Amino acid sequence: MTDAPPRMTKQRAAVLTVLKQGGFRSAQDWHDRLRHDGSTAGLATVYRALQALTDTGDVDTVLTETGETLYRLCEAREEHHHHLRCRACGAAEDIDMPSIEGWAASVGAEHGYSRIDHTVELTGVCSDCAKAGR
Amino acid sequence: MTDAPPRMTKQRAAVLTVLKQGGFRSAQDWHDRLRHDGSTAGLATVYRALQALTDTGDVDTVLTETGETLYRLCEAREEHHHHLRCRACGAAEDIDMPSIEGWAASVGAEHGYSRIDHTVELTGVCSDCAKAGR
DNA sequence: ATCTAAGTGATAATCATTGTCAAAGAGGAG
DNA sequence: CTCCTCTTTGACAATGATTATCACTTAGAT
């Protein structure tokens, strides 16, 4: 009785296609790109698809300082990693810092905290955007 | 022509008073506590006071995974620090990891990024809440 | 006491996101 | 092929945190 995997519909395929453009973008941004490419998918459908893809681990999410959620196709489903994201164009690099994991757990334990979770995000301006004066 | 410091009103004083209860809480949560203590301050005023206190560095903020902003009185106005926050009761410890600052800058530079900013937040369940079965 | 600009608070507006629900589409059984 | 069922879709309403608006109050200076 494993829950059935969601069906691959035209709309979901279209979402996956635009996601291949890369970069972290908002749901509404991805929706705009989809419409621009001729898709008639509704905004709610895009949200649902992104949510589903996030649940299955195919998409990474990040929150901005304004509370918006940004989504990006997650090429390699690895352990757990962090991001260095360009604030101007949404491009991102995967960063790994293995020592963070252990550090978080030990700092938590030192203070008597359990069930530690952590968030590490880096943002900046990539070289292309810097050249373009962003 | 330095911009005038905001006036200290009855409402702002009241906000500062409840903030002394400690912990990271939402604006609406602080507002509820204020009303419970007999203040008639409006929600908008609480938001404005928290915003002003954040701007002056007297209050620290953190975002939850749902996009809510949490506020806490910032006892010592130091350089830059991170938090270990209890997801159950909002209590928090200040954490410092001096090496993070340099690490962020060097990782950014390695990838050609400039104007690096970083976010590091730890959450967990504090010992009191763990005992209480939260 | 009066004047003036800032602060207040009720309420409306905003914006991302989620819920609702009738209509459309995909398979399977006959 | 046709009917039936169950999922997905898409337009739109609803939510919830935050911000803007605006008439009214109040603190401080003159």
Side-chain angles (χ1 to χ4, degrees):
Chain A
M1 205 59 88
T2 66
D3 38 280
R7 202 184 309 178
M8 178 54 62
T9 64
K10 203 181 318 179
Q11 289 82 354
R12 299 222 176 129
V15 169
L16 276 172
T17 300
V18 281
L19 282 170
K20 296 211 179 91
Q21 292 178 9
F24 273 103
R25 318 216 178 256
S26 70
Q28 316 219 29
D29 201 339
W30 287 123
H31 177 245
D32 288 345
R33 285 162 185 257
L34 222 37
R35 302 296 277 236
H36 188 267
D37 290 357
S39 167
T40 61
L43 181 57
T45 301
V46 173
Y47 272 104
R48 280 185 290 242
L50 290 171
Q51 186 65 59
L53 290 165
T54 299
D55 289 346
T56 59
D58 295 312
V59 160
D60 262 357
T61 65
V62 129
L63 309 163
T64 68
E65 61 230 65
T66 64
E68 245 184 341
T69 305
L70 305 182
Y71 304 83
R72 185 192 66 159
L73 193 60
C74 180
E75 33 264 354
R77 177 118 45 99
E78 296 148 33
E79 285 287 304
H80 177 76
H81 59 277
H82 304 290
H83 303 115
L84 168 57
R85 181 171 58 83
C86 175
R87 286 189 294 269
C89 71
E93 319 283 330
D94 287 343
I95 300 297
D96 53 31
M97 188 180 190
S99 55
I100 279 272
E101 317 292 323
W103 171 74
S106 68
V107 167
E110 265 173 43
H111 289 267
Y113 281 59
S114 49
R115 307 202 49 195
I116 301 296
D117 195 4
H118 67 281
T119 302
V120 175
E121 294 297 344
L122 300 183
T123 63
V125 179
C126 72
S127 54
D128 290 346
C129 289
K131 274 176 207 150
R134 305 291 307 268
Chain B
M1 206 59 91
T2 66
D3 40 282
R7 203 180 308 181
M8 177 53 62
T9 64
K10 202 181 318 178
Q11 290 82 354
R12 297 217 178 135
V15 169
L16 275 172
T17 301
V18 282
L19 282 170
K20 296 211 179 89
Q21 292 177 9
F24 273 103
R25 318 215 177 258
S26 71
Q28 316 221 29
D29 201 339
W30 288 123
H31 177 245
D32 287 346
R33 285 163 185 256
L34 223 36
R35 301 297 278 235
H36 188 266
D37 290 357
S39 167
T40 61
L43 180 57
T45 300
V46 174
Y47 271 104
R48 279 185 291 243
L50 290 170
Q51 187 63 58
L53 291 165
T54 299
D55 289 345
T56 61
D58 295 311
V59 160
D60 262 356
T61 65
V62 128
L63 308 163
T64 68
E65 60 229 66
T66 64
E68 243 184 340
T69 304
L70 305 182
Y71 303 83
R72 186 192 67 158
L73 193 59
C74 179
E75 33 265 353
R77 178 124 39 105
E78 295 151 35
E79 286 286 302
H80 178 77
H81 59 277
H82 304 288
H83 303 114
L84 168 56
R85 179 171 59 82
C86 175
R87 286 189 294 269
C89 71
E93 319 283 330
D94 286 344
I95 299 298
D96 53 30
M97 188 180 191
S99 55
I100 278 273
E101 317 292 322
W103 171 74
S106 68
V107 168
E110 265 173 43
H111 290 268
Y113 281 59
S114 49
R115 308 203 49 196
I116 301 297
D117 195 3
H118 67 281
T119 302
V120 175
E121 297 295 344
L122 301 183
T123 62
V125 179
C126 74
S127 54
D128 290 347
C129 289
K131 274 176 206 148
R134 304 293 306 272

